[in-house]
């Protein structure tokens, strides 16, 4: 939030796109390009002290942000086979270059923001093999988000000190997973039904991808070891029943 020490952000955004339907509107195609520029974008100082600090805004500096990219999507809405494919390429950068050295990040050079995810893919499909039963899948892929790693450690006055890379110079491992589900849509074929129900048996993360939720580091002897924390890294089944009254 803005305050007497932190100016409000101001953004200018431009977007242009094309949208088209084919095959009697059963196929939809869309493509969009966007560009955004942000002024007075806040970020943390190098070595910011946040613990037990009641004046967090004193650990922030302001600069400029820039993001751009394009999005493509193709979807099929009718027929036994339906679904969509989407691909997004986008980049997001910050540049913090203040008047003093402590007001600069990465020596005033631009660096990837925390939201910089160059590649994002989503593929989803549904196959209706009878009036009641269908099977569907969803596969997603995202480039790993940026992160700052310690590259070395040294001793200063008898204290071990970690030497870190430039801001967001590295990335955590890429994220991807596959979900599958078997669906039953209503059990009654009556025209005048008072209620409908859907029953779905699904499996989340079918191939047990151990996606990195976060990366942290631990010191052991003279080494700094990187650790990966994964959440829901196994196939997780679930059964969902939904009832809709008419």
């Amino acid at each position: 939030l803005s305050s007497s020490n932190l100016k409000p952000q101001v953004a200018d955004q431009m977007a242009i796109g094309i949208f088209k339907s084919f095959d009697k509107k059963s196929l939809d195609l869309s493509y969009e390009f966007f560009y955004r520029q942000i002024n007075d974008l806040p970020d943390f100082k190098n070595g910011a002290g946040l613990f037990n600090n009641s004046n967090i805004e004193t650990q922030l500096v302001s600069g400029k942000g820039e993001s751009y990219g394009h999005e493509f999507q193709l979807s099929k809405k009718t027929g036994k086979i339906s679904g969509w494919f989407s691909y997004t390429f986008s980049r997001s950068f910050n540049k913090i270059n203040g008047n003093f050295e402590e007001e600069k990040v990465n020596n005033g050079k631009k660096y990837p923001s925390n939201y910089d995810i160059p590649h994002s893919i989503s593929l989803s499909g549904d196959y209706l093999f009878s009036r009641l039963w269908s099977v569907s899948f969803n596969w997603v892929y995202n480039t790993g988000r940026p992160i700052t790693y310690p590259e070395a450690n040294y001793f200063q006055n008898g204290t071990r000190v970690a030497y870190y890379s430039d801001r967001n110079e590295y990335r955590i491992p890429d994220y991807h997973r596959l979900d599958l589900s078997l669906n039953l849509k209503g059990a009654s074929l009556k025209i005048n039904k008072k209620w409908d129900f859907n029953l779905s048996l699904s499996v989340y993360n079918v191939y047990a991808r151990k996606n990195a939720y976060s990366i942290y580091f631990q010191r052991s002897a003279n080494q700094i070891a990187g650790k990966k924390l994964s959440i829901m890294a196994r196939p997780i089944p679930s059964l969902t029943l939904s009832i809709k009254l008419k």
Side-chain angles (χ1 to χ4, degrees):
L1 298 176
S2 59
S3 66
S4 58
N5 296 317
L6 194 65
K7 295 181 180 179
Q9 299 177 58
V10 178
D12 297 311
Q13 177 168 306
M14 180 271 291
I16 185 171
I18 182 172
F19 307 89
K20 181 68 176 178
S21 294
F22 301 91
D23 194 19
K24 298 180 180 180
K25 297 185 178 181
S26 65
L27 287 174
D28 288 338
L29 174 67
S30 66
Y31 175 83
E32 186 171 358
F33 172 83
F34 68 91
Y35 178 82
R36 182 187 301 115
Q37 204 169 40
I38 307 173
N39 293 320
D40 297 312
L41 178 71
D43 204 344
F44 291 108
K45 293 180 178 180
N46 290 328
L50 306 179
F51 295 103
N52 298 322
N53 189 340
S54 58
N55 299 303
I56 296 295
E57 66 273 14
T58 62
Q59 302 301 305
L60 297 173
V61 287
S62 295
K64 295 184 177 182
E66 179 187 40
S67 61
Y68 57 86
H70 55 85
E71 302 172 341
F72 168 84
Q73 179 169 305
L74 177 65
S75 60
K76 184 177 185 295
K77 297 185 285 187
T78 60
K80 280 194 171 184
I81 300 177
S82 60
W84 71 84
F85 168 79
S86 66
Y87 169 71
T88 301
F89 171 81
S90 63
R91 299 305 309 266
S92 177
F93 297 97
N94 295 347
K95 186 175 182 180
I96 310 295
N97 189 21
N99 297 323
F100 303 98
E101 192 64 29
E102 62 271 15
E103 296 177 347
K104 297 181 179 182
V105 176
N106 285 10
N107 296 316
K109 301 177 183 179
K110 74 174 185 178
Y111 57 94
S113 75
N114 294 333
Y115 307 101
D116 182 56
I117 301 177
H119 303 285
S120 179
I121 300 173
S122 178
L123 180 61
S124 180
D126 186 270
Y127 176 65
L128 186 66
F129 54 86
S130 74
R131 184 173 178 177
L132 301 178
W133 292 92
S134 68
V135 61
S136 58
F137 77 92
N138 182 52
W139 184 77
V140 294
Y141 168 87
N142 293 315
T143 305
R145 64 177 177 82
I147 191 173
T148 306
Y149 282 166
E151 296 182 319
N153 66 94
Y154 59 92
F155 287 92
Q156 183 176 14
N157 298 326
T159 302
R160 189 191 303 276
V161 180
Y163 177 82
Y164 284 86
S165 66
D166 288 342
R167 184 78 59 90
N168 289 345
E169 184 178 355
Y170 296 94
R171 292 183 180 274
I172 67 174
D174 294 348
Y175 178 99
H176 57 85
R177 76 168 201 277
L178 173 67
D179 306 328
L180 293 176
S181 65
L182 178 66
N183 312 297
L184 173 62
K185 299 181 179 180
S188 175
L189 299 180
K190 294 181 180 180
I191 297 177
N192 297 319
K193 294 184 293 185
K194 295 183 179 180
W195 55 276
D196 282 332
F197 81 90
N198 293 320
L199 184 65
S200 178
L201 174 63
S202 60
V203 180
Y204 177 91
N205 194 13
V206 172
Y207 51 79
R209 167 71 175 178
K210 294 182 179 180
N211 290 300
Y213 178 79
S214 67
I215 301 292
Y216 62 97
F217 300 88
Q218 290 181 338
R219 292 176 178 173
S220 176
N222 293 324
Q223 300 292 327
I224 297 180
K227 303 290 185 179
K228 179 177 74 172
L229 175 63
S230 298
I231 297 179
M232 294 188 292
R234 298 178 180 178
I236 300 176
S238 64
L239 184 65
T240 304
L241 173 64
S242 60
I243 299 175
K244 181 180 179 181
L245 300 178
K246 293 187 174 181

